[in-house]
Amino acid sequence: MVRRLRLAQALQRRLEDGLVSASGDRILELAGFAANLAWMAHGGAFALPSVERALKEGPGLEGGRPRLNPASVEGRTLHVLTTAYETGGHTRLAQRWMELMHPEPCAVVLVDQREPVAADWVVPSGGGIPLLDFEREGIRSRLDKVATLLALMQSARRVVFHIHPDDAVSVAAGHQARGVDLCFLNHADHVAWLGASLPALLLGGRRGGNELAVHRRGIDPAMCGYVPLPLTEPIQMDRGEARKSLGIGEAEVVLLTLASGYKYLPVEGRSLLEPLSLVLRNPGHRLIAIGPDPEHPVFTELARRHPGRVQALGIIRKPDLYRAAADIYIDSFPFCSTTSLLENILIGTPVVAFQPDPDELGIFYSDWPNLPGSLFGSPDPEGFAERVEALAESRARRLEVGGRLRKAVEIHLSEPWRESMLTLQKSAFTPRPWSGRVPVEEGILDRTLAGLGRDPFRYPRLSKWPLGFLEKVGVGLDRLRG
């Protein structure tokens, strides 16, 4: 994995060299490309100082034209998303934020929405919340997007960035929006992203995310705040009816895991395969995975080893029936799925997580001030299996543990969450200059991220290399291969 890290570093340097002579739209193109590479193919750094400087100080970035009337967002909290999705917790987080802060007036901007998405998946229904989609409005020039977003930000009461790690447009607009009350949601706290140099309050949802922001992104601790992940009370369904409709016997112990398939892919030979194989030696246990499809390498092998007791069902947009039927929830590994884990805790389901090397790899795991991973995580397969078996043996114990965990996460709900957010909004915040000190490292965390990410040799966007660099990069690749 060190070889991957160093190749990614070499490619990153090539891109950053191009920023020296770039201007305007070319800066935005190249910055987005560099950030996407750093996000998808980790090179040992969690922020990109030269890219940040270019987006803040580069020439020609103010050459766009505002294309929307900002009156529709005046006096509102403006939530800025790069792209909204119909699966995963990222979009739902923004929607719940607006729902829980009602009746605070809000608006939403989609900066680069390339696929259609239902409006009710992005904004709460019945709230009269404007949804501005730049692509749908015909705003396709990057510079015009910067100018339009800047005008909207200057009209809004406050702005919350829920942006992708490679959103150069929003970061450039953020640098120009001087004096705007700006919050940056650290929802991708485990990867490199653009925006470390913004004069924004960084809102982290996990302890490890804020610690990494300080030590590996160069962000001043005074610029870091904590906000619980906002959740609404999930639908409560009758357990017996749910199991009956799914054909699950009363004596069976159902293990449920729910996350995007990539969050389960093995890295350096480690995955949930061995921990779950130990658990499934008990013939009374059944595993249901929502998100991974039947061809997923981990769940295909589990199904081969334990015929008839492993189901990988792919994406199910409303998995409430399966949640109600489950006895124990299993967090995804090597990437946790915080939203799914919390939603299952909220209906009283106990959880278990496989969390090896927590001191070095804790950024990948579910862990909050009110619910530390030590309460439900195990660092080795045997300890994981023992935790699951202890819960499987006693429904009374499952109810007791589930109830205790539920109490710990109620801060994520409605009134407690709203109170914590109002307190945060009232607190004094003075932007501090960004240090720009970003170490490049090759430790276990960086090697693991390199293994989880794309192989730089197969990075798909190399075939569309900007500024005619492909030939130069090809020479570099040949040297590295040698």
Side-chain angles (χ1 to χ4, degrees), residues 79 92-104 106 120-125 127 129 230-233 414-415 417-418:
H79 294 267
R92 282 185 294 160
L93 189 157
Q95 185 196 52
R96 283 171 173 148
W97 185 313
M98 292 179 273
E99 185 177 332
L100 294 178
M101 289 302 288
H102 182 77
E104 176 183 86
C106 298
D120 65 354
W121 193 248
V122 183
V123 299
S125 59
I129 297 175
L231 297 173
T232 52
E233 203 56 85
S414 194
E415 285 308 311
W417 184 89
R418 181 181 170 83

Side-chain angles (χ1 to χ4, degrees), residues 40 55 158 224 241 374 407 419 429:
M40 295 294 182
L55 292 173
R158 67 175 57 89
C224 299
E241 289 298 319
S374 58
K407 190 171 182 61
E419 286 301 315
F429 165 65

Side-chain angles (χ1 to χ4, degrees), residues 148-408:
T148 304
L149 181 56
L150 173 61
L152 295 171
M153 292 174 67
Q154 290 173 330
S155 183
R157 181 184 178 191
R158 67 175 57 89
V159 181
V160 183
F161 275 4
H162 306 253
I163 59 176
H164 279 26
D166 58 351
D167 188 345
V169 164
S170 295
V171 173
H175 278 301
Q176 295 179 36
R178 298 170 185 87
V180 167
D181 182 357
L182 177 60
C183 295
F184 188 109
L185 187 67
N186 190 12
H187 65 88
D189 59 8
H190 59 289
V191 296
W193 41 251
L194 294 177
S197 62
L198 285 171
L201 177 63
L202 184 73
L203 296 179
R206 298 188 298 157
R207 293 184 299 180
N210 280 1
E211 291 169 3
L212 188 140
V214 171
H215 299 297
R216 298 294 302 271
R217 303 188 204 273
I219 297 176
D220 192 300
M223 302 277 281
C224 299
Y226 171 73
V227 58
L229 187 69
L231 297 173
T232 52
E233 203 56 85
I235 296 172
Q236 296 279 359
M237 302 179 68
D238 181 79
R239 177 179 180 272
E241 289 298 319
R243 292 169 75 92
K244 183 178 179 181
S245 67
L246 294 172
I248 299 170
E250 186 56 35
E252 288 184 275
V253 173
V254 175
L255 314 175
L256 175 68
T257 188
L258 197 164
S260 297
Y262 79 89
K263 292 189 174 185
Y264 300 92
L265 290 172
V267 60
E268 295 194 330
R270 288 199 295 197
S271 70
L272 281 176
L273 179 60
E274 293 309 319
L276 285 174
S277 289
L278 292 176
V279 169
L280 290 168
R281 289 187 303 186
N282 187 323
H285 296 352
R286 178 195 290 205
L287 173 66
I288 298 174
I290 296 175
D293 58 39
E295 288 73 42
H296 191 285
V298 171
F299 296 95
T300 297
E301 178 60 19
L302 283 169
R304 187 192 68 78
R305 294 185 187 183
H306 309 282
R309 294 192 290 118
V310 177
Q311 295 173 276
L313 303 178
I315 295 171
I316 297 176
R317 182 172 171 182
K318 294 185 177 180
D320 306 289
L321 192 67
Y322 294 91
R323 283 200 196 102
D327 295 295
I328 302 167
Y329 180 79
I330 305 297
D331 200 7
S332 52
F333 174 85
F335 279 132
C336 67
S337 185
T338 55
T339 304
S340 293
L341 181 136
L342 290 169
E343 286 176 337
N344 281 274
I345 289 177
L346 285 172
I347 64 170
T349 305
V351 301
V352 179
F354 180 47
Q355 298 182 339
D357 300 315
D359 291 339
E360 295 85 1
L361 302 179
I363 190 63
F364 296 132
Y365 304 150
S366 298
D367 181 66
W368 301 272
N370 51 305
L371 188 67
S374 58
L375 291 181
F376 55 86
S378 292
D380 56 76
E382 294 76 18
F384 173 91
E386 288 172 8
R387 276 188 183 264
V388 172
E389 204 56 43
L391 291 167
E393 288 175 352
S394 168
R395 177 159 169 74
R397 178 169 176 76
R398 294 198 295 273
L399 291 172
E400 185 270 325
V401 172
R404 182 155 33 90
L405 294 178
R406 150 108 197 178
K407 190 171 182 61

Side-chain angles (χ1 to χ4, degrees), residues 58-82:
L61 291 173
E62 299 180 3
R65 180 170 61 90
R67 298 282 301 281
L68 292 177
N69 186 341
S72 62
V73 306
E74 187 173 356
R76 295 174 178 266
T77 295
L78 181 64
H79 294 267
V80 180
L81 284 75
T82 310

